[in-house]
Amino acid sequence: MFCWFCVWLLLSVWHDITCIQDTNKSTSHGISKGQTIVDEILRTYDGRVSPSDALENGAVEVSVQLYILSLDSSDESTDFTMNFFLRQRWRDERLAHNESGLPVLELHHLAINEVWLPDIYFVNEKTAHFHYVSVPNKMFNVFPDGRVSYSVRVTGTFTCEMDLRKFPLDKQTCFVKIESYGHSTRSLKIRWKSPAVILSKNIKMTLFSIKDTVPFICDQQYMEYNYSCIGINFHLTRMNGFYFIHMYVPSILIVMLSWISFWLDIEATAARVSLGILTVLAMTTQNKNTGVQQVSYVTAMNVWTAASLAFVFLGVIEFAYINVKTRKHVRNSINKSPSTISMNSSNTHMNGSVYSFPKSEPKSPQRSQSKYTLTSIIDVDNRSGRRVDRYARIAFPVCYLLFNICYWSFYVMWEPDQNLQLSH
């Protein structure tokens, strides 16, 4: 009996020595323990079959998380671009390696192509691509119990139908929807991992600021099959400092500049006409150079620019009105008193609304009386025009102030309903 025990002990020691030698031999030839485990797992693994079909244990639940590196909106305001890590986790018991002794098994990107991956896609994606510099930016970790952690870096442009009726004082809600393309809810379920979105501290958007992110579930039914769907809403607020500096403040100054015309003399025709035309042209040029969004409906910026242009234009109309009125009144007064004012068109000159006689005319009491009578008529009409100017000096600023009060009160308080193209 003792002899049999000695023989068994010798055989056990010899087997252990042989295993150690084989391990050292494999290591000396560059074959690691992890590689041996991967080869053993993939030898019988079939990546064409999902974990639920292989083991018949119900649907595979994939938890998804987005780590956003950058987020920005395009100038067209119809889409936004996002650079992020797409993180997914699920369990595939065929990849379990409890007896390996390794805490985690990190697969090379070449081995990732041989294992099963969830077939998720982005519903509102326009263009997207993976990153391959300097190697494919993919990570695939397998834990001993078969849990899988898969991460890939993606940059994509996603549609976002913005409502610009309140532009540039608007708030927008853009979203991203993720669905399973080929697996129904019987074999695959997609759900958010808490927290659903992690924002990088280095995110700096040029047009918007991110106020909040709200995840939601949007399971869909296609062709009598239910498909898993999840989404995330990005609540964005436009940063409108650029528009205040380059649009609102300059337009206010241009409108106030047009009011100088009301303080100029009514006979300064050239100065008042030039000032009115220059302010109108300045307002028109500014509207073209500030990047106002071109949409088929009226925006808050359209209302502001139209009102500012209207105030400037009315300033020009005001002077045209009093000038024409003065000319007409003088002409009517002359026609009504031909015996008092004897004038000849050949020796009468008209400059604006002032009539003067050539100095070469011989002076006579009748001519002097006619000139004084004409001057008195013109002075009366000028006083009437100056009265209109005095009214305009008060009416225009008051009306513009009331417009500003109504404009800012309405657009600060009003929030338009946002109807997204893809309902959720």
Side-chain angles (χ1 to χ4, degrees):
M1 196 67 184
F2 178 75
C3 294
W4 284 108
F5 176 76
C6 293
V7 172
W8 175 82
L9 182 61
L10 290 174
L11 291 174
S12 299
V13 172
W14 178 80
H15 181 269
D16 293 339
I17 294 174
T18 304
C19 291
I20 294 174
Q21 290 178 349
D22 292 340
T23 303
N24 295 334
K25 191 180 208 180
S26 298
T27 305
S28 64
H29 285 79
I31 302 176
S32 63
K33 186 177 182 180
Q35 182 179 353
T36 304
I37 297 173
V38 171
D39 291 338
E40 182 64 26
I41 293 176
L42 297 181
R43 184 173 60 84
T44 57
Y45 189 92
D46 190 352
R48 299 172 300 176
V49 181
S50 67
S52 60
D53 296 334
L55 303 176
E56 298 181 358
N57 56 354
V60 179
E61 184 168 333
V62 179
S63 59
V64 179
Q65 184 183 66
L66 301 181
Y67 184 89
I68 301 178
L69 300 173
S70 65
L71 180 66
D72 205 357
S73 176
S74 67
D75 295 335
E76 298 178 356
S77 295
T78 56
D79 50 42
F80 65 100
T81 301
M82 186 167 59
N83 182 10
F84 58 96
F85 291 118
L86 175 61
R87 297 172 174 174
Q88 305 174 59
R89 286 194 174 187
W90 68 92
R91 182 184 296 274
D92 191 345
E93 297 182 1
R94 295 174 297 173
L95 299 176
H97 52 93
N98 293 315
E99 299 179 357
S100 64
L102 295 177
V104 62
L105 186 61
E106 300 177 353
L107 294 186
H108 191 266
H109 65 86
L110 296 177
I112 297 177
N113 299 327
E114 300 184 23
V115 299
W116 179 86
L117 298 176
D119 61 340
I120 64 174
Y121 76 104
F122 294 90
V123 177
N124 58 324
E125 171 259 329
K126 296 177 65 176
T127 60
H129 64 273
F130 296 111
H131 290 259
Y132 293 94
V133 179
S134 60
V135 294
N137 296 174
K138 298 180 180 181
M139 182 193 71
F140 196 96
N141 292 340
V142 182
F143 296 90
D145 58 353
R147 289 182 296 113
V148 176
S149 177
Y150 176 55
S151 176
V152 59
R153 185 183 175 191
V154 183
T155 295
T157 301
F158 305 89
T159 58
C160 180
E161 297 298 332
M162 298 185 180
D163 188 347
L164 299 176
R165 287 178 291 174
K166 200 178 174 182
F167 171 84
L169 309 173
D170 55 330
K171 298 178 181 179
Q172 303 295 338
T173 300
C174 296
F175 67 96
V176 172
K177 292 177 68 174
I178 303 175
E179 290 185 10
S180 172
Y181 193 85
H183 290 84
S184 64
T185 53
R186 294 181 302 178
S187 59
L188 178 63
K189 290 183 180 179
I190 307 173
R191 291 296 180 261
W192 285 115
K193 179 184 182 298
S194 182
V197 174
I198 300 177
L199 300 176
S200 174
K201 297 180 180 180
N202 299 323
I203 291 182
K204 294 181 180 180
M205 301 181 65
T206 57
L207 299 179
F208 294 92
S209 61
I210 303 176
K211 293 303 180 182
D212 194 13
T213 57
V214 180
F216 59 89
I217 298 176
C218 52
D219 292 349
Q220 301 286 342
Q221 183 176 1
Y222 302 108
M223 298 178 64
E224 300 180 357
Y225 292 97
N226 293 324
Y227 290 86
S228 187
C229 172
I230 57 175
I232 188 79
N233 281 331
F234 296 95
H235 296 279
L236 309 176
T237 301
R238 188 181 298 274
M239 295 184 290
N240 46 32
F242 170 83
Y243 300 98
F244 276 96
I245 296 174
H246 294 274
M247 190 64 202
Y248 284 106
V249 174
S251 61
I252 292 175
L253 297 179
I254 293 174
V255 172
M256 296 175 66
L257 180 63
S258 67
W259 299 341
I260 297 178
S261 174
F262 306 143
W263 272 265
L264 298 178
D265 192 86
I266 191 174
E267 298 179 1
T269 305
R272 296 188 69 162
V273 171
S274 300
L275 181 61
I277 294 176
L278 287 176
T279 51
V280 171
L281 292 177
M283 183 62 66
T284 305
T285 304
Q286 186 192 23
N287 295 344
K288 294 181 179 180
N289 298 333
T290 51
V292 178
Q293 299 295 334
Q294 298 180 359
V295 292
S296 59
Y297 47 85
V298 178
T299 66
M301 181 60 73
N302 296 141
V303 175
W304 176 267
T305 55
S308 300
L309 183 61
F311 275 97
V312 173
F313 182 74
L314 288 175
V316 180
I317 296 299
E318 186 269 348
F319 172 69
Y321 168 75
I322 60 176
N323 189 274
V324 171
K325 182 179 179 181
T326 301
R327 288 172 177 268
K328 184 178 179 180
H329 192 273
V330 170
R331 190 178 298 110
N332 293 336
S333 299
I334 294 173
N335 293 333
K336 290 179 181 180
S337 305
S339 60
T340 305
I341 304 175
S342 177
M343 301 181 60
N344 193 306
S345 58
S346 61
N347 57 12
T348 303
H349 304 276
M350 184 173 63
N351 181 16
S353 55
V354 178
Y355 295 83
S356 61
F357 297 92
K359 295 182 179 180
S360 60
E361 282 288 325
K363 296 183 179 180
S364 63
Q366 183 180 2
R367 176 65 66 182
S368 300
Q369 182 181 3
S370 301
K371 184 175 181 179
Y372 293 146
T373 306
L374 177 61
T375 303
S376 63
I377 294 174
I378 295 173
D379 290 339
V380 171
D381 292 320
N382 284 348
R383 286 195 297 271
S384 177
R386 293 189 183 98
R387 188 182 305 110
V388 176
D389 278 344
R390 286 195 296 270
Y391 292 153
R393 294 172 191 173
I394 300 175
F396 272 72
V398 170
C399 292
Y400 194 63
L401 178 62
L402 292 176
F403 163 73
N404 274 268
I405 293 175
C406 296
Y407 177 88
W408 295 109
S409 300
F410 176 77
Y411 281 107
V412 168
M413 301 297 295
W414 176 59
E415 290 295 336
D417 295 332
Q418 297 184 4
N419 298 321
L420 299 178
Q421 294 292 335
L422 297 176
S423 60
H424 52 266

